[in-house]
Amino acid sequence: NLSERLERSFKILKGEGKITEINVAETLKDVRRALLDADVNYKVAKTFTDKVKQKALGMNVLTAVKPGQMMVKLVHDELAELMGGESVGLKLEGRPAIILMSGLQGSGKTTFSGKLANMLKKKQHKNPLLVACDVYRPAAIEQLKVVGGQIEIPVYSEPESKNVIGIAQNAIKEAKAKGNDVVIIDTAGRLAVDEEMMNEIEALKNAVNPDETLFVVDSMTGQDAVNTAKEFNDRLDFDGVVLTKLDGDTRGGAAISIRTVVTKPIKFVGTGEKMEAIDVFHPSRMADRILGMGDIVSLVERAQEQFDEEEAKRLQKKIQKNKFDFNDFLGQIQQIKKMGNIKDLASMIPGVGKAIKDVDIDDNAFKGIEAIILSMTPKERTNPEILNTSRRQRIAKGSGTTVQDVNRLIKQFDQTRKMMKMVTGSRMSQMMGAMKG
Ligand code: GDP
Ligand code: MG
C-alpha cells in the first residue's frame, strides 16, 4: 500500500545529512511508483513529484529533523494541496435547496442520499425530503424507503411513473407545501456509462436546476473511477464528488486523480454502510491517511518552530550589537504574518491580550510598512543611518506612500531598535514563545 511504500522510500533518506539532488531523485522515483500503484494518473504523479522535487531542493535543512522526515511533511502538504487544500461545503441557497445525486449503479448513491439527509437534519437542523428517481429497478424505491425509515426522513415516490422529471418536479412542489428546505434526488445508475443514462440525468439536471449536483463514486474502483468522473463531469459539470467505501481497502489514489482530472472538490466521503458513516472531506486528513504518518507531520511542525527560535537567538545577538536592520525588521513582519491572525497572536502575549481586545489590528496594517522597506536599496536596509531626505522622497514614491509615512516608519524602527536593546534576551524569547502559543 501507498503509505508503506512511501515510508520505506523515506527510510532511505533517513540518516542522510542533507537533501541533495541525488537522494531526492531516488526517493521521488519511489514516491512516483507508489502513486502509480495507487491508481494515481501517470501525468498527475509526474507533475506532483516534479513539484515536490523543486521544493525539496530549495528547502532549509532543519537541524532537529532528518531530511527524510522533512520530505514526508513536504509530500504530505503537497498531497493536501493537490486535493484542494481546504474542505468545501455545500451551497444550499434554493428554497428548497436541491441536491441531485449522480453516478454508476452500486456507487452508493442511495446510501449516501440517506447519510447526507441524516447529517443535514442532525447537524444543520434541516428538514430534508428524499426523492426516488431510480424508476427502473423495482427494488430501488423500496430501498430508499427503508433508508428513509431508519433515519425518520420522508421519501417522495411515484411507483407508477417512469417520468423522472415529472417525479422530481412534483417532489419539489410537495417540499414547498410541506416545508422541506432540502430536496435530495436519488437517481438511477447503470453498470457502465451509457448514453441513455447520461441523457436522462442531464435532462433532469436541466429541469430542476439543482444547487448541488454531486457525483458519487466507489473509491475501490481505482483508475476506472477517474474515467467515470471525467465522463460524468463532461456531461453534467457537477459541483462536487462523493468518495464512497473508503472503509475498504483504501485506494487513496482515486481522490488525488479525480480531483486533478476534473478539478472539482471532493466534498464528502463514505466510510461504511451505516447511516452515520459519512465525513466531510478534509484534504489534510486524507493526505495523513495516504501517508499514514500523522505523528511525523507534527514532529516536523514542532521542529520548524524550533528553527524560528534559533532565528530569534540570531536576532538577539544582532540587537545586542545594535546591528538589527530593516532586513531583520522585514523578516520579523513576514514571520508574524506567517503565524496567522495578528490579533489572535498579540492577544496571547501576557498582559497585552485584554488591552488590545477592542483595538483594530489586521494583517493589512503591515502592507504599507513592507512596501516601504521593499523600496529601499539593500544598502539602505542594512545602514538605515544613510536615509537622508532625498532618499526618503524616492522611497515614498517607489512604495506609493508619502514622505510622512516613510519618516514615521523610520522613527518607529529607531524606537524599536532602542527598545529591543533594553529588553533582556530571556524576556524576548519568552515573548516569542508566548506568541507561538
Ligand atoms: P447505488 O446503486 O449507487 O444507489 O448504491 P447503493 O447506495 O445501493 O450502494 C451499493 C452498495 O454499497 C450497498 O450494499 C451499500 O450498502 C454499499 N455502500 C454504500 N456506501 C458504502 C460505504 O461507504 N462503505 C461500504 N462499506 N459500503 C457502502
Ligand atoms: Mg440506488
Side-chain angles (χ1 to χ4, degrees), residues 61-67 69-70 299-300 302-304 306-307 310:
V61 179
L62 305 177
T63 44
V65 279
K66 300 264 172 13
Q69 295 170 329
M70 286 195 70
L299 175 73
V300 175
R302 276 202 301 278
Q304 248 146 14
Q306 208 168 318
F307 175 72
E310 274 168 30

Side-chain angles (χ1 to χ4, degrees), residues 41-100:
N41 173 289
Y42 175 80
K43 254 171 69 186
V44 175
K46 169 109 176 55
T47 313
F48 178 78
T49 46
D50 285 350
K51 196 166 160 204
V52 169
K53 181 180 169 185
Q54 263 186 357
K55 289 214 171 165
L57 291 174
M59 209 156 55
N60 274 317
V61 179
L62 305 177
T63 44
V65 279
K66 300 264 172 13
Q69 295 170 329
M70 286 195 70
M71 285 293 293
V72 173
K73 167 90 163 81
L74 180 59
V75 171
H76 169 274
D77 290 353
E78 288 299 314
L79 280 175
E81 192 59 39
L82 198 60
M83 289 184 282
E86 307 277 313
S87 49
V88 181
L90 292 176
K91 174 177 65 67
L92 301 178
E93 282 162 5
R95 287 284 165 261
I98 298 165
I99 304 173
L100 178 66

Side-chain angles (χ1 to χ4, degrees), residues 17 19 44 84 88 113 138 146 176 207 231 300 327 400 437:
I19 294 177
V44 175
V88 181
S113 298
V146 170
K176 282 181 184 155
E231 292 193 65
V300 175
N327 284 321

Side-chain angles (χ1 to χ4, degrees), residues 216-273:
V216 181
V217 65
D218 181 337
S219 62
M220 314 266 291
T221 55
Q223 196 61 45
D224 277 347
V226 184
N227 299 332
T228 315
K230 191 167 171 349
E231 292 193 65
F232 272 86
N233 194 45
D234 286 347
R235 285 296 284 267
L236 293 181
D237 187 21
F238 54 68
D239 301 296
V241 179
V242 177
L243 212 53
T244 63
K245 309 187 195 180
L246 269 176
D247 49 315
D249 178 21
T250 325
R251 298 270 194 142
I256 298 172
S257 301
I258 291 173
R259 168 75 214 205
T260 318
V261 172
V262 303
T263 63
K264 294 288 169 67
I266 295 161
K267 296 199 173 183
F268 295 96
V269 296
T271 55
E273 299 193 49

Side-chain angles (χ1 to χ4, degrees), residues 27-40:
T27 307
L28 289 183
K29 215 187 282 167
D30 271 350
V31 171
R32 178 145 74 219
R33 216 173 292 138
L35 290 172
L36 290 177
D37 284 354
D39 290 314
V40 175

